[in-house]
Amino acid sequence: LYQRLPANVNLITICMDGDASAGLAQSILKKSGTTFPVLLNSDSLKACFTGNVSGVPTTVYVDCKGNIVGYPQVGAPTVGDDESVAERYMEQIQDCLAQVG
């Protein structure tokens, strides 16, 4: 999915349990070849964002000014193989881009 994103779109993830064992989280990310930004959960993230997350994964689309676009997606947007899930995320991304112009 990350490789397919339009030039004006980025993907940033938050490792929800990364604060419990940062070294292990970073090791797993390195071994998996992750190339997109991953934040480790922290007290400040919990206070302003992740403390309100009711399920994982939760996807939130944010515009360049920090405004949430649409509604948070709790859970995967579809059932199926990785390709099907990635395709549905791309559809949601295109919908959000259309909303922000």
Side-chain angles (χ1 to χ4, degrees):
L1 176 63
Y2 183 64
Q3 304 304 325
R4 296 186 203 176
L5 294 175
N8 60 338
V9 175
N10 199 0
L11 169 71
I12 300 171
T13 64
I14 301 172
C15 181
M16 295 291 286
D17 59 356
D19 58 334
S21 182
L24 176 60
Q26 291 171 343
S27 174
I28 291 169
L29 291 168
K30 184 176 181 180
K31 285 180 184 177
S32 70
T34 301
T35 57
F36 49 85
V38 178
L39 305 175
L40 299 182
N41 206 11
S42 65
D43 289 339
S44 61
L45 277 172
K46 287 177 191 173
C48 68
F49 181 69
T50 60
N52 296 319
V53 170
S54 63
V56 180
T58 295
T59 305
V60 178
Y61 297 98
V62 181
D63 69 13
C64 63
K65 296 176 184 169
N67 300 309
I68 293 177
V69 180
Y71 297 96
Q73 164 81 45
V74 179
T78 190
V79 175
D81 60 11
D82 290 348
E83 182 63 30
S84 298
V85 173
E87 195 57 40
R88 182 62 188 124
Y89 274 119
M90 286 301 296
E91 290 170 7
Q92 290 180 347
I93 290 166
Q94 293 302 327
D95 289 345
C96 289
L97 288 172
Q99 287 181 44
V100 298

